Amino acid sequence: MLRNIPNDYTRQMLLELLDTEGFNKDYNFVYIPMDFKRQAGLGYAFVNLIGHSEAERFMAHFEGFSRWKFSSNKICEAAWGTPLQGLNQHIERYRNSPLMHADVPDEFKPILLQDGERIPFPEPSRRIKPPRVKLQCSGSSPQPEVTDAFEPGYVR
């Protein structure tokens, strides 16, 4: 898990950073939680490395990292992800999540990779509910606003 990444970092920017910093083909899952309203990251990301030695090298490299693509005062913290550890747990956590609903833009979804190339996420094992929507009244008719796609009870 990476904490304290710039909120304006997109998933694509993070992928480019990971590759540029020498981790191409060393990770197989990436997800940056997003604020759908602002269309910006929440300042952290989940990255699953393919092995323990890669994960240790990754954590040592990104702890204290601050060479972002654009000017930012944020200093990265690298930590073991909790409560999820390992690719299978990430897949099971997200495959049936509202994040994977067709209404959610692709750039907001977690992705899987193999040998540095994106691969399809496993099909859901049940019907995916659409993201929760909060209605905001502006004028005469309420306007739907996607607030987030986190499932109730999920602790990060």
Side-chain angles (χ1 to χ4, degrees), residues 2 32 51-52 104 137 149:
L2 295 177
I32 298 182
H52 188 75
V104 175
C137 293

Side-chain angles (χ1 to χ4, degrees), residues 135-144:
L135 293 179
Q136 286 201 347
C137 293
S138 62
S140 60
S141 63
Q143 299 295 316

